[in-house]
Amino acid sequence: MIPGSAVYHVVEAMAPLYTAAVLGYASVRWLKAFSDEQCKGISHFVALYAFPVLIFHMVSTNDPYHMNQRLIAADTLQKIVMLLALTAWAFWSHFRRCGRLDGKAESSAAASPIKWVVTNFSVASLPNTIIMGVPLLNGMYGSVSGELMKQIVVMQFCIWYNVVIFLYEFMAARDGTAKISSAVVPQAAADENHDRMVVDENGGSCIHRHAATDRSSHHQMVVNIEITEVAAAAAVASTTTAPVDGAAAAKELGAEGDGDANKVAVDLPPPTPVQPQVPSVMHVVWMATKKLLQIPNTYASFLGLIWSLTAFKIGFSMPKIVGDSLFIIYTTAVGLSMFASGTFIARQSRFVPCGYTIASLSMLLKFLIGPVIMLLASLAIGMHGTLLHIAVVQAALPLAVTSFVYAEEYKVDADIMSTGVILGIFISLPVTIVYYILLGL
């Protein structure tokens, strides 16, 4: 049975985080102490300096040669199961919905299943481990949880966030291709109207455009040939290889009018319709790589991984002057991140931007389905005791702010991510305490 003092230690560890968030909320909503530009400046500092340095610190101080293999295996299994299950569900729902639609209704009403996969996967499987997980689990299980959380952070920022960005880039590349194709198709349709070329006996020619009102009619090349004049027929033959002077031909056509001379009609094949093409895997990989190289968190995680692989292999530590310089910056990350979260909540026009129904489903996915899948995955790996408890509780942490940042940048369900961040901050403490008590029974 969990004693009351243990629950108090959890609340004691989390109270400073909520204090910073409430202060940020009050500073914007009631005190009007910060403008929108100033709030964006705080968030920009956190995203550009404080948070990446904190990631570098956690990854670089983690020993990659002595990671807990069972925890890593359970975390990986949980995310793979969630990703495959969500993919199967999303595509099944997509094709079922498409089966009920036809024609234009299908293309406009059927949403892409990939965006639902990314959104639900982020909500269910990418918790706020680095900001809220470390202090919360330290209050529950002591300092041993801090080293385990570093390992989860390494997996998140070196692997899983890159998977999410790859899927975002795939959708962006596909949507860009579809937009280009949709711009080309009307042009091709407009080109169908030019279906008549008139060549007169003097060698002049003109493209005559008219609306294709009869879909059964094909493109025709109408060549006026004066049967009685052999020379005119020769002139016409010579024009088949000569360039077309459009201005002169239009002038001659207007002068001659529409004569009903003998005409020879030649059918031309209709233009091939342009269809959207799915971008190649290499194109998506290249676009995702360029995007990753622009994200400070990517630099921080991989530089930290390179440092840890080298330092723990050779056996040297970071110079004190460098470590202290980084310490000054990353110690501001947790407090300023929660403060920025409070200012973000205060600046929202609606507390629940995506609506209460979707918000309820998101919270169910975040705080019930995700931890249950983690529990089953951990049991399948053979975990038990404190390690099992830590794995389940960290899965019940709120949605990471990083997921919302990516969703906002790519314009994919940012309202759902915003709701997950806002409600998650308020709901996570009582939910994790409930899991802490139940797992300790």
Side-chain angles (χ1 to χ4, degrees):
M1 182 66 182
I2 300 296
S5 59
V7 177
Y8 172 76
H9 285 308
V10 175
V11 176
E12 185 180 48
M14 294 299 295
L17 300 181
Y18 283 92
T19 300
V22 170
L23 180 61
Y25 181 89
S27 298
V28 174
R29 180 57 63 93
W30 299 319
L31 302 178
K32 310 296 181 182
F34 296 95
S35 63
D36 287 344
E37 292 298 324
Q38 291 171 332
C39 292
K40 292 178 181 178
I42 296 174
S43 300
H44 191 62
F45 170 79
V46 172
L48 192 61
Y49 295 111
F51 196 67
V53 172
L54 178 60
I55 294 174
F56 174 81
H57 167 71
M58 296 193 69
V59 176
S60 63
T61 55
N62 172 67
D63 187 356
Y65 302 103
H66 296 88
M67 297 177 69
N68 192 298
Q69 297 180 359
R70 288 189 175 184
L71 178 63
I72 299 302
D75 180 71
T76 303
L77 180 60
Q78 184 242 12
K79 289 177 171 56
I80 291 176
V81 169
M82 289 296 302
L83 190 60
L84 293 178
L86 290 170
T87 301
W89 169 77
F91 277 90
W92 176 79
S93 301
H94 174 75
F95 289 120
R96 182 183 179 185
R97 186 165 54 249
C98 289
R100 299 176 181 177
L101 302 173
D102 56 353
K104 296 181 179 179
E106 178 179 347
S107 60
S108 60
S112 171
I114 302 179
K115 77 171 188 175
W116 287 106
V117 173
V118 177
T119 300
N120 292 325
F121 176 77
S122 299
V123 170
S125 305
L126 296 177
N128 193 347
T129 305
I130 193 169
I131 298 298
M132 299 189 68
V134 174
L136 175 63
L137 291 169
N138 276 338
M140 290 182 175
Y141 302 106
S143 59
V144 64
S145 62
E147 294 299 321
L148 297 176
M149 288 302 97
K150 288 181 182 180
Q151 300 174 18
I152 299 295
V153 169
V154 171
M155 299 299 294
Q156 279 188 355
F157 285 94
C158 292
I159 297 179
W160 296 112
Y161 276 119
N162 295 334
V163 172
V164 170
I165 293 175
F166 177 85
L167 294 175
Y168 277 134
E169 284 297 327
F170 176 82
M171 287 188 290
R174 184 199 58 189
D175 293 342
T177 303
K179 290 178 181 179
I180 294 174
S181 299
S182 63
V184 173
V185 170
Q187 181 64 33
D191 290 343
E192 292 182 2
N193 293 330
H194 78 285
D195 61 349
R196 178 169 296 182
M197 177 181 290
V198 179
V199 184
D200 66 6
E201 62 181 18
N202 295 322
S205 60
C206 172
I207 303 300
H208 180 62
R209 299 179 182 268
H210 68 285
T213 57
D214 186 3
R215 295 188 178 273
S216 64
S217 63
H218 299 285
H219 296 275
Q220 294 182 340
M221 180 186 296
V222 181
V223 184
N224 295 330
I225 302 177
E226 296 291 338
I227 302 300
T228 57
E229 296 184 11
V230 179
V236 172
S238 66
T239 60
T240 57
T241 57
V244 177
D245 187 350
K251 184 176 180 180
E252 293 174 4
L253 181 64
E256 292 180 2
D258 294 334
D260 292 333
N262 295 328
K263 300 177 181 179
V264 177
V266 180
D267 288 340
L268 296 178
T272 303
V274 181
Q275 298 180 353
Q277 296 180 355
V278 178
S280 64
V281 175
M282 292 304 300
H283 174 72
V284 176
V285 170
W286 172 241
M287 296 301 295
T289 302
K290 290 200 302 182
K291 177 61 66 175
L292 287 171
L293 293 178
Q294 300 173 3
I295 299 175
N297 294 347
T298 303
Y299 288 108
S301 58
F302 282 103
L303 286 176
L305 182 60
I306 293 173
W307 176 270
S308 63
L309 288 171
T310 306
F312 285 95
K313 186 68 174 179
I314 299 177
F316 65 89
S317 59
M318 187 174 296
K320 187 175 185 302
I321 187 173
V322 177
D324 291 346
S325 300
L326 296 177
F327 174 81
I328 293 296
I329 299 176
Y330 72 72
T331 49
T332 66
V334 176
L336 281 180
S337 295
M338 295 302 296
F339 185 88
S341 299
T343 62
F344 168 76
I345 296 172
R347 288 182 287 130
Q348 300 304 303
S349 58
R350 297 177 58 191
F351 188 75
V352 183
C354 67
Y356 289 99
T357 301
I358 297 181
S360 301
L361 294 175
S362 300
M363 295 301 100
L364 182 68
L365 187 65
K366 170 73 257 179
F367 294 112
L368 181 60
I369 297 179
V372 169
I373 299 296
M374 174 58 78
L375 175 62
L376 297 177
S378 301
L379 293 175
I381 295 299
M383 293 172 57
H384 55 82
T386 301
L387 186 61
L388 173 65
H389 300 175
I390 291 175
V392 175
V393 172
Q394 67 86 25
L397 293 171
L399 177 66
V401 180
T402 306
S403 299
F404 165 72
V405 173
Y406 292 153
E408 177 67 19
E409 180 177 356
Y410 287 96
K411 308 302 180 185
V412 177
D413 293 331
D415 55 344
I416 299 178
M417 296 295 190
S418 172
T419 301
V421 172
I422 295 173
L423 293 182
I425 290 176
F426 293 99
I427 298 176
S428 62
L429 181 58
V431 169
T432 50
I433 290 178
V434 169
Y435 277 111
Y436 177 56
I437 295 175
L438 292 178
L439 292 169
L441 294 178

